[in-house]
Amino acid sequence: MPMAHVIVVASDPEQREAMGRYLTLVGMNVGRAGSGAELDRLLSASSPDLLVLDADLPGEDGLSIAARLRATTRIGILVLTARDSLDDKVAGLAAGADACLAKPAQLRELEATIRSLLRRLDNTPHHKKQDAGVDGQGAWSFDATDWALTSPKGGTVPLTTAEYRAMQALIVKPGVSVKREEIAISLGKAMGGYDDRSVDAVLARLRRKVKMASGEMLPIRSARGIGYAFTAPIELRQRPMTAMA
């Protein structure tokens, strides 16, 4: 397998160097940039496999850069957010990121996430990456504005409040198991004050609902003793808010 080419984009020189040095030590070809302008200069001379993109950058911020690049390329994008919160991660995914990690990222977790993303991106030919799923099916779509889930074949399923919140929690880390506690908190349950069956019931109803409406199986898998994972590619759609007149 060829050496992965990664560009680390972060304004803090110490963090940028620490990530770059570690990723180089584990066998990656690493470029470094401190801003969007520096990144654009690197991209004009090379085509990396993946970007590690800090959301907090001087000038053009990381989320704007992610949205700009996603409109023209299928390069892998891992966004580093300021906080480990659902809202920050959803914002990163809405901007076009493939995954999000909270800063400061643990280096081993950073490496594991990058390798996982690269495997996912390399599963299919480049021209099919946007549409192909893990089992040869197309990607699902989660509409955060209209509260709807669309299957690869185009069947659209409206979501209740509980279903919408559960899906929000699951798509923060596609393919990664999300703890029941995290899903329960997204449903408005107090930590330690919920019943495992309440989470199971919401997801079981959602599976049946999607199957009946679209004829397709919702790719949510149970991880025994941990929680659940959404195991197919999914696109988050969110219309930008319009300014008040």
mmCIF file of all heavy atoms in Angstrom, residues 105 108 113 182 195 245:
data_model
loop_
_atom_site.group_PDB
_atom_site.id
_atom_site.type_symbol
_atom_site.label_atom_id
_atom_site.label_comp_id
_atom_site.label_asym_id
_atom_site.label_seq_id
_atom_site.Cartn_x
_atom_site.Cartn_y
_atom_site.Cartn_z
ATOM 1 N N ALA A 105 -6.147 16.617 20.186
ATOM 2 C CA ALA A 105 -6.359 15.229 19.777
ATOM 3 C C ALA A 105 -5.249 14.340 20.335
ATOM 4 O O ALA A 105 -4.068 14.691 20.285
ATOM 5 C CB ALA A 105 -6.377 15.130 18.259
ATOM 6 N N ARG A 108 -2.516 8.857 19.187
ATOM 7 C CA ARG A 108 -2.874 7.501 18.743
ATOM 8 C C ARG A 108 -4.287 7.471 18.175
ATOM 9 O O ARG A 108 -4.565 6.780 17.192
ATOM 10 C CB ARG A 108 -2.753 6.520 19.908
ATOM 11 C CG ARG A 108 -1.306 6.254 20.331
ATOM 12 C CD ARG A 108 -1.246 5.305 21.502
ATOM 13 N NE ARG A 108 -1.826 4.014 21.181
ATOM 14 C CZ ARG A 108 -2.104 3.074 22.099
ATOM 15 N NH1 ARG A 108 -1.864 3.315 23.383
ATOM 16 N NH2 ARG A 108 -2.627 1.923 21.726
ATOM 17 N N THR A 113 -7.931 7.276 13.536
ATOM 18 C CA THR A 113 -9.027 7.884 12.774
ATOM 19 C C THR A 113 -8.609 8.120 11.331
ATOM 20 O O THR A 113 -9.379 7.875 10.397
ATOM 21 C CB THR A 113 -9.458 9.204 13.428
ATOM 22 O OG1 THR A 113 -9.822 8.969 14.793
ATOM 23 C CG2 THR A 113 -10.641 9.814 12.686
ATOM 24 N N GLU A 182 -24.408 8.174 25.593
ATOM 25 C CA GLU A 182 -24.355 9.344 24.722
ATOM 26 C C GLU A 182 -25.655 9.505 23.948
ATOM 27 O O GLU A 182 -26.152 10.626 23.766
ATOM 28 C CB GLU A 182 -23.178 9.230 23.752
ATOM 29 C CG GLU A 182 -21.816 9.276 24.421
ATOM 30 C CD GLU A 182 -20.690 9.187 23.405
ATOM 31 O OE1 GLU A 182 -20.747 9.886 22.382
ATOM 32 O OE2 GLU A 182 -19.759 8.392 23.635
ATOM 33 N N ASP A 195 -33.193 4.209 31.132
ATOM 34 C CA ASP A 195 -33.291 2.763 30.956
ATOM 35 C C ASP A 195 -32.720 2.406 29.597
ATOM 36 O O ASP A 195 -33.096 3.011 28.590
ATOM 37 C CB ASP A 195 -34.769 2.357 31.045
ATOM 38 C CG ASP A 195 -34.962 0.848 31.028
ATOM 39 O OD1 ASP A 195 -34.089 0.136 30.492
ATOM 40 O OD2 ASP A 195 -35.986 0.397 31.539
ATOM 41 N N ALA A 245 -34.091 40.397 7.032
ATOM 42 C CA ALA A 245 -34.139 41.662 6.292
ATOM 43 C C ALA A 245 -34.179 42.834 7.255
ATOM 44 O O ALA A 245 -34.741 42.730 8.318
ATOM 45 C CB ALA A 245 -35.358 41.682 5.399
#
